[in-house]
Amino acid sequence: MVVLDEGQSVFVGEIAHIVAAVASGPRGGANVPDRNAFENLLILCGRHHKIIDDVRTRDRYPVDVLREWKAKREAEFDTATREELHRLDDLPVRLPHLLVEAFRDATTELTATVDRLEATGQLTHDAARLLHAALARTANTGPGVGDGVPGVKEAFEEAYDAAGGASFLGLPSAAAYETGPGVVQHLRGARCGHPAVICAIAGRAAVVITTDLWNGIANIGGGRPSGGVHGVGFPVHTTGGDQRYISPTIEQVPTTGGSWRAGTMRRTGDRRWIWTPDLVFDSNNSANAETAFNSQSALDLRLRLAAQIPFAQDEPRLTASGRRRLTAELAEPEMTAIVAAFAADRTGVPGELRWRPCADQFARNDSWGASYECVIHSADGRPTIRGTLQFLMPDLMRSQRLTSLVDIEIDFDGCQTEPCQPNTPVTRRLSHVEITEFFTAAWRLAFDVLPLALGEPVADGDHGDRPGASLYIINERGQNTGGERTFRLGDLVDLSPFGSTHKIYQSRLDLAVVGRGSLSEHDARNVVRRALVRAAEDAGFDAADLVTW
């Protein structure tokens, strides 16, 4: 790392961190006792320093690789040199910082004393302001608030002063820098009792937060490039309280600006931070209506819940032990209730009702998928009510998430003594309450039961990303399907509680629910009801918001 220039030795190396100095930096998620210790520092040329830290290439250079580089390079030194290096540890690197830090600590104490004198009336407000300004100029041998990124200084200084200024927050420990959707700057902390961070995204006021919260955001997503502030975004303050300082006592903080859209950071009982996406309804919802569905054997009406589940494993797969666990769970009596509920007043419930692995050519029962069916037949052997469960891997679905599908199909000819008449209401239409209970039960099957086929849990509380579910009510005998036996959706489902609509050829209702995964039965039912109201409103029903359950 030394070059000769006209006979003079010039050191051209750069000191790089193996694990970044801050949790949000390159490889910053790794756990090291002291990020500035000699063991965590590596001398590189400027070119390679840029390569190992650049967001596009850093994944190629994990912590273990860089530590191996360091070990090989130091092994080239003689024994005496190596002993001297380890005896000094990181003192040569940290000595200037330690001197400045000691001076800043003294200045911070003086600043706090000025505050106390002003509070007790021994200094006027104007005199205190002049002293604060002088101390800040004296202490600020490093970057100032907002330095480092053009255009943010005024906004950062405003938030800094509103949150307490130097005496409360301390001075910047480094210049501001851009990351994810915005700009951030780290503060040393003073009377606040903890290091802090100023952060802001375009269109939002800058806020000051604890480093603990900032590191919590950085850890969401398990270190994936799409996680952290890139997925979650930056914290923002809601109405009420101090609008510029999110203190350690606050238990939940809204976030925005990330690729996973808006959500909330929440503390758990063990004081960890987790992220929960906001609930969003999406009316553009057709992608999963026909996924892995055998339309050649379609009955009259189909209800479907299609769940999209984020996963933590690098290569998720169904295992033999997982499949046995899922089969055993589906054998429990309450697992067939989702099918029996439709049969109770229509066909009667047979004694041997159970879920069985599908055997037809469209089914998957291997490492990439699991398929089960539960069927009630009519007297002539035709399927009258058919339930289907499918759990499919991301590579099979060309998706970034696991897919759970829960279908119920009904043939209404098998549910009444006389054949159904075309375009005429069937004898026993489905009610909106029955549909609600189906989707509530399907929610549990999709998010909690079918994923048992995996060899390990699908995600943990810090995974991030956005799960979701698509709800479909589909008329498979619509007037646009051709043939003599056609129906309107209202002939098969009693939609009168939602009012009326001017849409004549209504073949289905559907809606996507984004931002909710595994839920309690109570919460799932509430989400389903809200989704059905929204779907009915999208279809033009004029009293959807007045429906009673």
Side-chain angles (χ1 to χ4, degrees):
M1 297 300 174
V2 176
V3 298
L4 293 177
D5 182 51
E6 296 184 359
Q8 296 296 317
S9 299
V10 180
F11 179 73
V12 296
E14 295 183 1
I15 297 176
H17 283 80
I18 296 174
V19 176
V22 294
S24 57
R27 301 165 297 280
N31 185 23
V32 294
D34 185 352
R35 294 171 183 263
N36 291 315
F38 175 77
E39 289 79 7
N40 193 46
L41 301 176
L42 179 67
I43 295 178
L44 296 172
C45 67
R47 174 172 174 267
H48 282 94
H49 193 176
K50 174 66 175 174
I51 289 173
I52 69 166
D53 284 355
D54 192 277
V55 69
R56 294 166 296 182
T57 52
R58 64 176 61 164
D59 288 346
R60 303 174 193 167
Y61 304 96
V63 170
D64 290 345
V65 169
L66 299 184
R67 285 175 176 163
E68 184 179 353
W69 287 4
K70 176 181 173 70
K72 287 182 178 179
R73 182 67 183 92
E74 291 178 2
E76 298 172 5
F77 296 128
D78 58 66
T79 303
T81 302
R82 288 200 302 272
E83 289 178 352
E84 187 67 15
L85 282 172
H86 286 282
R87 185 182 68 81
L88 291 173
D89 193 44
D90 58 348
L91 183 61
V93 177
R94 297 185 64 193
L95 184 57
H97 165 77
L98 292 172
L99 292 172
V100 172
E101 183 73 19
F103 185 71
R104 285 180 173 173
D105 287 344
T107 305
T108 299
E109 288 297 323
L110 288 172
T111 302
T113 301
V114 171
D115 284 341
R116 289 194 294 270
L117 291 173
E118 181 186 4
T120 58
Q122 299 177 62
L123 275 179
T124 66
H125 177 65
D126 289 341
R129 286 184 60 189
L130 289 173
L131 286 170
H132 277 311
L135 286 168
R137 286 194 299 272
T138 303
N140 193 15
T141 57
V145 173
D147 288 353
V149 177
V152 305
K153 190 171 185 64
E154 182 178 351
F156 271 38
E157 286 180 340
E158 182 182 347
Y160 182 72
D161 291 340
S167 64
F168 185 71
L169 300 169
L171 297 168
S173 60
Y177 61 94
E178 297 181 76
T179 184
V183 180
V184 66
Q185 186 172 30
H186 294 263
L187 308 171
R188 299 180 182 277
R191 282 192 295 111
C192 64
H194 57 81
V197 171
I198 312 175
C199 54
I201 58 176
R204 293 273 188 171
V207 296
V208 179
I209 66 172
T210 66
T211 299
D212 174 62
L213 172 57
W214 179 256
N215 290 340
I217 293 173
N219 291 332
I220 300 298
R224 291 179 302 153
S226 61
V229 294
H230 300 279
V232 172
F234 276 25
V236 294
H237 222 305
T238 54
T239 57
D242 187 339
Q243 295 303 293
R244 292 305 182 87
Y245 177 55
I246 300 175
S247 74
T249 61
I250 293 178
E251 298 293 313
Q252 57 183 46
V253 182
T255 61
T256 191
S259 61
W260 297 339
R261 300 174 67 172
T264 302
M265 291 292 295
R266 289 185 172 85
R267 279 199 185 275
T268 62
D270 58 1
R271 307 304 292 167
R272 291 185 305 111
W273 285 102
I274 61 171
W275 182 76
T276 304
D278 287 352
L279 179 64
V280 176
F281 293 121
D282 183 2
S283 301
N284 298 316
N285 179 45
S286 59
N288 292 307
E290 304 302 328
T291 298
F293 176 66
N294 181 7
S295 59
Q296 295 178 347
S297 62
L299 306 185
D300 297 335
L301 180 73
R302 177 162 57 101
L303 307 181
R304 161 170 281 197
L305 186 142
Q308 297 291 311
I309 307 173
F311 57 93
Q313 304 96 317
D314 291 334
E315 296 182 4
R317 61 188 294 271
L318 276 67
T319 64
S321 62
R323 195 183 306 281
R324 290 193 300 272
R325 188 164 60 248
L326 173 58
T327 300
E329 182 69 17
L330 292 176
E332 294 296 320
E334 66 270 17
M335 288 293 107
T336 57
I338 193 170
V339 178
F342 292 104
D345 295 330
R346 292 183 175 88
T347 65
V349 181
E352 290 297 320
L353 191 62
R354 58 178 298 184
W355 292 100
R356 294 179 172 84
C358 293
D360 64 62
Q361 60 179 324
F362 299 99
R364 297 300 301 245
N365 280 297
D366 46 34
S367 293
W368 297 274
S371 303
Y372 294 81
E373 66 178 2
C374 179
V375 185
I376 298 175
H377 295 89
S378 63
D380 60 4
R382 292 181 303 160
T384 296
I385 299 176
R386 178 169 58 203
T388 307
L389 306 176
Q390 298 182 77
F391 188 60
L392 306 172
M393 295 297 99
D395 52 350
L396 186 64
M397 299 303 301
R398 298 180 181 178
S399 166
Q400 298 301 311
R401 299 172 184 171
L402 303 163
T403 300
S404 284
L405 302 172
V406 182
D407 288 293
I408 289 288
E409 300 170 83
I410 300 177
D411 176 17
F412 286 93
D413 267 348
C415 296
Q416 56 190 56
T417 55
E418 298 294 331
C420 299
Q421 299 301 311
N423 303 318
T424 300
V426 299
T427 301
R428 182 77 164 74
R429 293 183 294 175
L430 264 62
S431 71
H432 68 294
V433 174
E434 286 182 296
I435 291 173
T436 300
E437 292 308 306
F438 162 76
F439 284 122
T440 301
W443 200 286
R444 184 196 169 206
L445 283 168
F447 284 102
D448 298 331
V449 177
L450 288 174
L452 293 175
L454 294 172
E456 56 184 288
V458 296
D460 58 27
D462 288 338
H463 183 261
D465 211 342
R466 295 186 304 152
S470 299
L471 282 58
Y472 300 93
I473 305 171
I474 303 173
N475 177 8
E476 300 286 3
R477 304 290 183 188
Q479 293 167 300
N480 59 348
T481 59
E484 297 181 357
R485 192 170 182 272
T486 61
F487 297 102
R488 296 161 300 214
L489 184 61
D491 295 333
L492 307 176
V493 179
D494 182 8
L495 298 172
S496 61
F498 299 101
S500 59
T501 178
H502 294 291
K503 288 190 175 182
I504 299 174
Y505 299 106
Q506 187 72 49
S507 62
R508 78 183 194 190
L509 296 179
D510 59 75
L511 188 75
V513 179
V514 182
R516 290 295 180 271
S518 179
L519 294 171
S520 68
E521 181 179 342
H522 176 269
D523 290 343
R525 185 176 289 107
N526 284 340
V527 170
V528 167
R529 287 174 176 175
R530 291 174 59 188
L532 291 177
V533 168
R534 176 67 176 270
E537 288 178 335
D538 290 344
F541 284 86
D542 55 13
D545 58 329
L546 303 177
V547 67
T548 58
W549 306 96

